[in-house]
Amino acid sequence: MAIFTKPENAFKRADELINVGQKQDALQVLHGVITSKSYRSWQKSHEQIMFRFVELCVELRSGQFAKDGLIQYRNACQQVNISSFEEVFKHYLHLATKKVEQARSKADALEEESLDVDDLEADKKPEDLQLSIVSGEKGKDRSDRELVTPWLKFLWETYRTLLEILRNNSKLEALYAMTAHKAFQFCKQYKRRKEFRRLCEMIRNHLVNLNKYKDQRDRPDLTAPESLQLYLDTRFEQLKVSTELGLWQEAFRSAEDIYGLMCMVNKTPKSSLLVVYYSKLTEIFWNSSSHLYHAYAWFKLFGLQKNFNKNLNQKYLQLIASSVVLAALSVPPYGRFHGASHLELENEKELNLRMSNLIEFNLEPKFKGKDMLSRASLLSELVSRGVLSCATQEVKDLYHVLEHEFHPLDLGSKIKPLLDRISKLGGKLSSAPSLQDVQLSQYIPSLEKIATLKLLQQVSKIYQTITIKNVAQLVPFFDFSAVETISVDAVRNNFVAMKVDHMKGVVLFGNLSIESDGLKDPLTIFAETMNKVRAMLFPAPSKASKLGEIVPNLGETVGNEHKILLARKLIIEKRKEEQERQLLEMECEEEQRRLKLLKLTAEAEQKRLATELEERRRQRIVREIEERELEEAKALLEETEKRQTKGKKRTLFDGEKLTKQTVMERAMSDKRKEDQEMEKKLRKLAITMDYLERAKREEASPLIEAAYQQRLVEEIKIYEREQQREVELCKERHESDLMEKNRLARPRMLDNKEVFQERVICLRQVEFDMLRTEKEERIGQIIRARKEERDIKRKRIYHLNSEEERINKLREEEEARKREETEKRRKEEVERKAKLDEMAEKQRQRERELEEKKRLRRETLLKPTDTFPARSLEPTVAATASAIAHSQSPAKYVPKFRRS
């Protein structure tokens, strides 16, 4: 196979091979040029080559060639023009999908042709009978296996190859998500369950490798909102398709994938996605007979719909609440691991942890004993959070009968009509399109089983022995064989103690244990009743008067404490809000810094890539010029050597470099010499040819004249003979035409002609009138439609302008309000600052006065008194005391001459 240095030449050669039917050779030519070194830098012509290349790959079902070519083209376009790769990629995927659809259409057409038979009572052909016996297949299966299956395999391999090419590349994230969605739809459309499992495993491995190789170039950043949304959409589509295909184990793994992805980025998805998540969990747990987890999933779904779905009306909310309550009541009232080993208990503990994390969606799970999921805790939450109050009246009555009432003999008769009415409830949640159809009838079998267990438990509390016939009458849902099967499971899990004696036809009940709930409940009720009796006989004395005597101002004190606590709560809330605002500002600043750094990095990377691209382009141009000149020199040298004779052949580049100029100079000199020699030979040959031609013409002239005269005589005879025959033929045709004219000129023929002519003209006139009427009606409809469209457009423009004016007005009012609030806060800050300054100045003045008083007192006490006479001691002491008293008064200044 030839190697082409220019892709354009390879493209032309491939077209030539395709035109002559050699498509495999054309594919190899294009594959060779795509994988060559000249294809590493993107050019505009490469896109056309890739389009032709992928068309040939699809037509010949050559997946390996397509994979090599797309990888090479991705590397060439990744830093320059990624949109070109996307167009080629989409074209390739479109062609593969189109081939499968064409194969299916062809197979369906063959099936229809096989049904189009002339005689339905005719026997089959011998070859059809032999083929059916040997193959054992029907006609439809055989045509599908021959026509559709190869293209399905090729399309599946195409999806696998494309996902491997696009994986873990930040610039091809959207294309990867689109391909994954189409692959899911392919598995859904053609019911390819095994391929769907392989596809899910492949996508999981891609995410594992993404986290494993974190230093990979062009690695997607899952913390970015766009990337995270694409990955989430892919996994939610995987969850939806797995439930539609009935692959519940794969659906559960898909739910775990979503939870793992959220744990990886430490973010909780939006409420709309959580609704889809819990909706699919309800289907998964119901089909896996995990009633407890099914009920918890419905409970979470109810909370989301009630809090975030504003379009949910009371009817649909009541339907969802009824589903939650019925799902909780359908949970068996006993555990499945009574008397289990330590290993089984540990496994159950781990399972509960996984389920609680999936249902509660805790991104940082911390297992606690009180967090264990159970039927009793779920029912208590339903009552405390008001779910039961939102349910229908039938569901409320069923809850009270099963959980709070004791009717051992008529429990079945009370529950039976309630279940009949509940089975008719249900419908489509039109305001919640992500939810499936809610049909309460699916809970009826489980509720009948739970009612049977409750009835057996209540009967065991009042009877020790009861006949089998009476038990069958008490349970209207099942016959006694089904009741016996249910009781076996209950006895095994220590829910009820009973034995069935078929020989005597009785059922024997016994006590579970001394500390069982059946023994504790009557004792507890008896103790509570006795406490009430004692309280009625000996009422407790009132303590209000004593308390009032002990604490006289208790009400006022409690009120003050309450106000202090409220003020403290407001302060704490304000501090929390301020802290949250600061954290939000810090996150915004961090995000801006990160975006700025990413922008600078991207600009630097673009500059570097542009410089490298320009340098590679320049080197490539220089290299191509040198290679082209070298090839032209070699070709010129070979051509020159071919033209030379053996005697004159010599080496043209001995001791010097082989260049195009040297070869051309040598070739031109040789060519001039050859031209001179050839010119001499031609002159000699021309003289010889002139002489020979003249001699031939002189000899041939009399022979030509004789042949001409003979030919002229023969042609005259032929002309006369042909002329005579033509005249005879014309006479015969004229006579036959006259006879035909006379035959057609009869009155009967003319009347028929006129009738036929009138009929044709009338039919054409009617058709013309009908077409004209239709055209006028169509034109009228178009005019009316355009008029309505113009009216709608004017109304829409008017409403848009009105809405824009309203929004602008609201924005201006909001800005004015913000300015007023800002000005008000500024004035309050100025006033508060002025008050603080005034208080500080007063404090400083008071401190100065106190210092002055202390100094005066110290001087008075330290002044010597031994020079004064004894008689003057008392006045001095009195004066000192007076000075001290004056100095201690805060509002009066004592002069220095008065202090002594």
Side-chain angles (χ1 to χ4, degrees), residues 259 293 346-360 362 365-368 371-373:
Y259 176 73
Y293 306 130
E346 288 296 325
N347 293 335
E348 176 69 10
K349 184 178 179 181
E350 183 181 359
L351 179 62
N352 278 331
L353 176 59
R354 289 174 61 190
M355 294 300 105
S356 62
N357 290 336
L358 281 180
I359 293 173
E360 297 292 338
N362 297 323
K366 294 182 179 179
F367 182 80
K368 295 180 180 179
D371 296 333
M372 294 286 289
L373 307 181

Side-chain angles (χ1 to χ4, degrees), residues 627-734:
E627 291 177 356
R628 192 182 301 115
E629 289 182 353
L630 183 61
E631 290 177 358
E632 291 177 357
K634 289 181 179 180
L636 203 59
L637 177 62
E638 293 176 357
E639 186 180 356
T640 305
E641 291 178 352
K642 289 178 181 178
R643 286 200 307 268
Q644 289 177 349
T645 59
K646 292 184 180 180
K648 295 183 178 180
K649 189 174 182 180
R650 61 185 177 86
T651 304
L652 298 176
F653 49 92
D654 293 338
E656 59 182 332
K657 185 179 179 181
L658 178 62
T659 61
K660 181 180 177 182
Q661 188 68 24
T662 305
V663 174
M664 288 182 68
E665 290 176 357
R666 297 293 180 87
M668 290 300 293
S669 63
D670 293 341
K671 188 174 181 182
R672 281 196 296 271
K673 292 179 182 179
E674 291 178 359
D675 290 343
Q676 291 174 2
E677 294 178 357
M678 185 61 67
E679 188 177 357
K680 292 179 182 179
K681 292 180 181 180
L682 288 174
R683 280 199 298 269
K684 291 181 182 180
L685 184 61
I687 294 171
T688 306
M689 293 296 294
D690 289 342
Y691 176 78
L692 293 174
E693 187 65 25
R694 191 182 302 112
K696 286 193 294 184
R697 290 186 179 182
E698 288 178 355
E699 293 293 332
S701 178
L703 299 175
I704 292 172
E705 183 65 25
Y708 171 72
Q709 294 297 331
Q710 184 180 357
R711 179 67 178 171
L712 185 61
V713 173
E714 292 177 355
E715 288 182 351
I716 290 171
K717 292 179 181 180
I718 293 171
Y719 173 74
E720 291 175 353
R721 187 169 58 251
E722 292 292 333
Q723 190 71 18
Q724 183 65 26
R725 189 170 61 182
E726 184 66 26
V727 170
E728 292 175 357
L729 291 174
C730 288
K731 288 179 180 181
E732 292 177 358
R733 282 197 299 269
H734 179 67

Side-chain angles (χ1 to χ4, degrees), residues 122-136:
D123 295 333
K124 292 184 178 181
K125 297 179 181 180
E127 53 270 20
D128 294 339
L129 290 173
Q130 291 178 355
L131 185 61
S132 63
I133 292 172
V134 173
S135 62

Side-chain angles (χ1 to χ4, degrees), residues 260-312:
L261 183 62
M262 291 297 98
C263 290
M264 194 181 301
V265 297
N266 199 16
K267 288 184 180 180
T268 304
K270 300 178 181 178
S271 59
S272 58
L273 295 178
L274 282 177
V275 168
V276 179
Y277 174 79
Y278 285 116
S279 175
K280 298 302 177 184
L281 276 184
T282 57
E283 296 182 37
I284 294 168
F285 290 138
W286 180 256
N287 285 277
S288 61
S289 299
S290 300
H291 297 88
L292 179 61
Y293 306 130
H294 170 78
Y296 267 101
W298 261 118
F299 181 50
K300 297 293 291 186
L301 193 58
F302 171 81
L304 288 171
Q305 289 293 322
K306 186 177 180 181
N307 296 329
F308 297 103
N309 193 351
K310 299 179 180 178
N311 299 325
L312 194 68

Side-chain angles (χ1 to χ4, degrees), residues 315-327:
K315 177 183 176 182
Y316 299 135
L317 183 65
Q318 192 178 39
L319 191 58
I320 297 175
S322 302
S323 299
V324 177
V325 177
L326 291 179

